[in-house]
């Protein structure tokens, strides 16, 4: 069921990215609203007020960046490539972690993430960026910063897990 739902959502996202314009902006705005709602529900028990503006930034800054990348560049490839790299990061991390196993990355925050998964994530991201570069859709050296993006994506996953465990 999760795979089927993921495939449907991926098709909707890819379609909106491809079309761009108003459909893309609406999808990004809806995603931001859902994210902010989830953040507000998660942090509601906390009496600390700084969680609210932090959630607003968490929900809006990535959306604004995606809209700028898609509409500001006039090309589908910055956003499409970014999505492909992040998806490759998650998929590669999962399979490398499951197949190789080994020491845990941050067991207190996310007990199933491994160092092998992180290395797999970096390799998957680099491979996708290298293919995009070889096709002339991204710069030829994009694989180098894609490995850093994989680390940032994994750090984001860990931060999200830590937040969920905190609340």
């Amino acid at each position: 069921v999760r795979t089927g739902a993921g495939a449907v959502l991926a098709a909707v996202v890819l379609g909106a990215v491809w079309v761009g314009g108003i459909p893309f902006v609406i999808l990004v705005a809806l995603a931001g609203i859902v994210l902010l709602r989830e953040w507000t529900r998660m942090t509601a028990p906390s009496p600390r007020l700084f969680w609210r503006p932090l959630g607003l930034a968490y929900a809006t800054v990535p959306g604004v960046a995606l809209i700028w990348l898609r509409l500001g560049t006039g090309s589908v490839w910055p956003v499409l490539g970014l999505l492909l790299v992040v998806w490759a990061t998650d998929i590669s991390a999962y399979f490398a972690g499951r197949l190789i196993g080994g020491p845990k990355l941050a067991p207190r925050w996310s007990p199933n993430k491994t160092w092998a998964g992180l290395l797999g994530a970096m390799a998957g991201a680099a491979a996708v960026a290298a293919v995009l570069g070889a096709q002339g859709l991204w710069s030829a050296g994009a694989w180098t910063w894609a490995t850093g993006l994989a680390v940032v994506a994994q750090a984001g996953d860990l931060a999200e897990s830590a937040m969920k465990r905190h609340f």
Side-chain angles (χ1 to χ4, degrees), residues 97-124:
R98 296 288 286 175
L99 293 173
I100 300 167
K104 303 297 183 184
L105 185 60
R108 189 169 160 199
W109 295 334
S110 187
N112 294 326
K113 288 196 184 308
T114 64
W115 284 98
L118 175 61
L119 293 175
M122 294 167 69

Side-chain angles (χ1 to χ4, degrees), residues 33-147:
I33 290 167
V34 169
L35 182 60
L36 186 57
R37 180 175 180 258
E38 193 64 27
W39 179 277
T40 302
R41 288 176 54 198
M42 182 176 67
T43 60
S46 177
R48 296 191 175 127
L49 293 178
F50 74 86
W51 290 114
R52 304 266 190 256
L54 187 60
L56 186 61
Y58 180 68
T60 58
V61 170
V64 169
L66 283 173
I67 291 168
W68 175 81
L69 270 177
R70 177 61 182 95
L71 304 182
T73 63
S75 173
V76 70
W77 289 107
V79 173
L80 189 57
L82 180 66
L83 290 174
L84 293 173
V85 165
V86 171
W87 290 341
T89 294
D90 286 347
I91 293 166
S92 299
Y94 174 78
F95 283 110
R98 296 288 286 175
L99 293 173
I100 300 167
K104 303 297 183 184
L105 185 60
R108 189 169 160 199
W109 295 334
S110 187
N112 294 326
K113 288 196 184 308
T114 64
W115 284 98
L118 175 61
L119 293 175
M122 294 167 69
V128 168
V131 168
L132 291 171
Q135 297 299 316
L137 302 171
W138 273 11
S139 67
W143 66 271
T144 57
W145 65 261
T147 57

